[in-house]
Amino acid sequence: MNQRIERLYHRSSEHSAIQSNGDLLPIAFKELGTASEELLVALEQLAEQQEQLVESRTQLEAERRRYQSLFEQAPHAYIALDSNNTITSANRAATRLFDCTQGLLLHKPFSILVPIEERREFREELQRRQQVEDEQEWQVRLYSPHRQPFDAAVLLSVERDAWGNIVSSCLCIRDISDRQRAQAEKKKNTEDLLCDRPRHTFSKGENIPLQPDALWLVCKGWVKLSTLTESNGEVMMGIVGPGIPFCRTLTVLPIYQVTALSQTVELTAIPHQEMAQASHLTQVIAEGVNQRLHQAELLLSVCGRRRASDRLLTLLQVLKTIVGEPVTNGTRLSLRLTHQELAEASCTTRVTVTRLLSEFQHQGKITIDNTNHITILE
């Protein structure tokens, strides 16, 4: 419009000496009419865009209310943090967990919910997990002015912008103090159950005989369960640790061998007749058998891999869940297995295992220390 008015102005100045300004009126009216039509079209387009924006805003508001409702009604406690780890929102479960109102939580640093003596360590761990986007739970000691400190399992999720900068974080918090107490009570009951029983000691590499009328329960160390193939090849069937039972009645294999893996293995024998009469003893045994079942499924998943490298990697992950202990850079296998034993468990050869472990080291997947213990890197 400005450009057209400017052109009309220049034309009126140029033709002022030749023709009257009245000759320019038809041209001006025509220009104004065209501009008016274009403005009407633009106005209609703006009105249509405004309707679309209103509709989009309505949909977004409905989605926001729906997710806000899900956030508030979630069974676990959720606390959202900004880039400075300041609390921006907390759902109802969080207020119930800390026995306070949202007003006492909002706009406060999350570290105020951690005991003073543990705050520095928590802040460092939170920053570390925000950088590596670790989705594994970790245990934290939390408290509020209205309740005593309690053990909690915390799971972190991080939202980033297009440049990778942290925009917000969300913590899912579960009170595990009851579970901790139950585990401590279970451990005490097991210790009380076994403390007065005689123990049988075996050294590393020694074969452990199976008794026909009793069940072995591991008190200390690790033992290997294996069988032999028709060509005298050994196949690992499981690794049994403290609190896990084994006996002849728990297998259908005709050849079943039990070998001590640790330097010292301590076992106690429980007669079958006694198990039938003691319900608390039956519960301990049932939990151990359940662990054996889970371990057997994990070992079956190893055999299902076609490539030897995939089988060995899967086996290392299985051993990580069974005998792994967390360290700074990953998980260290507390039990040292020979290359032959790894080959037996992953259905391959010792030479292949040696080659693959070397490749995994060069790829940064594992490290092997001077005591030959394997550490699976994060």
Side-chain angles (χ1 to χ4, degrees), residues 123-175:
R123 285 193 292 262
E124 293 175 352
E125 181 65 16
L126 179 60
Q127 292 177 358
R128 185 190 72 80
R129 290 178 178 269
Q130 285 174 331
Q131 296 301 322
V132 300
E133 298 184 5
D134 192 346
E135 295 184 356
Q136 294 184 353
E137 284 186 338
W138 83 98
Q139 186 174 324
V140 181
R141 190 81 168 162
L142 299 177
Y143 90 113
S144 74
H146 304 282
R147 64 170 296 182
Q148 294 296 323
F150 61 95
D151 292 325
V154 179
L155 181 64
L156 172 70
S157 60
V158 179
E159 181 182 356
R160 302 178 183 274
D161 59 19
W163 295 273
N165 300 317
I166 297 176
V167 177
S168 63
S169 303
C170 186
L171 296 176
C172 175
I173 306 170
R174 295 187 299 109
D175 186 354

Side-chain angles (χ1 to χ4, degrees), residues 223 300 318 323 363 367:
V223 301
L300 281 175
V318 171
V323 297
Q363 295 169 2
T367 60

Side-chain angles (χ1 to χ4, degrees), residues 40 49 121 188 210 221 239 303 356:
L40 288 174
Q49 292 176 1
E121 181 181 355
K188 183 178 182 302
L210 295 176
I239 298 176
C303 301
L356 290 176

Side-chain angles (χ1 to χ4, degrees), residues 190-352:
T190 304
E191 291 175 351
D192 293 341
L193 180 67
L194 303 178
C195 64
D196 296 331
R197 294 179 177 273
R199 297 192 178 188
H200 303 264
T201 303
F202 299 89
S203 301
K204 184 175 182 179
E206 188 176 354
N207 289 330
I208 301 172
L210 295 176
Q211 301 182 16
D213 57 349
L215 172 145
W216 283 118
L217 188 66
V218 181
C219 301
K220 178 183 177 182
W222 296 87
V223 301
K224 178 181 68 172
L225 308 179
S226 60
T227 186
L228 295 178
T229 64
E230 296 178 354
S231 57
N232 290 329
E234 188 173 4
V235 179
M236 182 185 294
M237 305 303 298
I239 298 176
V240 178
I244 302 180
F246 63 91
C247 63
R248 186 170 296 281
T249 57
L250 291 178
T251 181
V252 295
L253 297 173
I255 301 177
Y256 201 63
Q257 293 184 339
V258 183
T259 309
L261 286 177
S262 303
Q263 294 296 334
T264 302
V265 174
E266 294 183 1
L267 307 177
T268 185
I270 302 177
H272 293 165
Q273 184 178 2
E274 182 181 353
M275 287 191 297
Q277 299 173 353
S279 59
H280 60 286
L281 183 59
T282 304
Q283 182 179 0
V284 172
I285 301 303
E287 292 177 355
V289 172
N290 189 43
Q291 294 183 44
R292 284 274 310 276
L293 178 60
H294 292 170
Q295 187 183 122
E297 291 180 343
L298 291 173
L299 291 175
L300 281 175
S301 68
V302 174
C303 301
R305 306 285 180 173
R306 293 187 177 181
R307 299 172 54 188
S309 58
D310 293 337
R311 290 199 299 273
L312 183 57
L313 271 179
T314 305
L315 175 63
L316 293 178
Q317 293 298 325
V318 171
L319 294 174
K320 176 181 175 181
T321 63
I322 300 174
V323 297
E325 53 184 16
V327 292
T328 305
N329 57 343
T331 303
R332 180 177 181 268
L333 302 184
S334 59
L335 183 63
R336 186 179 62 185
L337 297 175
T338 66
H339 290 191
Q340 182 61 39
E341 290 169 335
L342 292 174
E344 294 167 359
S346 58
C347 303
T348 185
T349 63
R350 182 184 59 80
V351 176
T352 302

Side-chain angles (χ1 to χ4, degrees), residues 346-378:
S346 58
C347 303
T348 185
T349 63
R350 182 184 59 80
V351 176
T352 302
V353 167
T354 302
R355 176 178 58 82
L356 290 176
L357 289 178
S358 179
E359 292 180 3
F360 294 163
Q361 282 185 281
H362 289 302
Q363 295 169 2
K365 296 179 180 179
I366 65 170
T367 60
I368 302 177
D369 58 22
N370 53 7
T371 61
N372 291 326
H373 281 86
I374 298 175
T375 298
I376 304 172
L377 304 179
E378 295 291 346

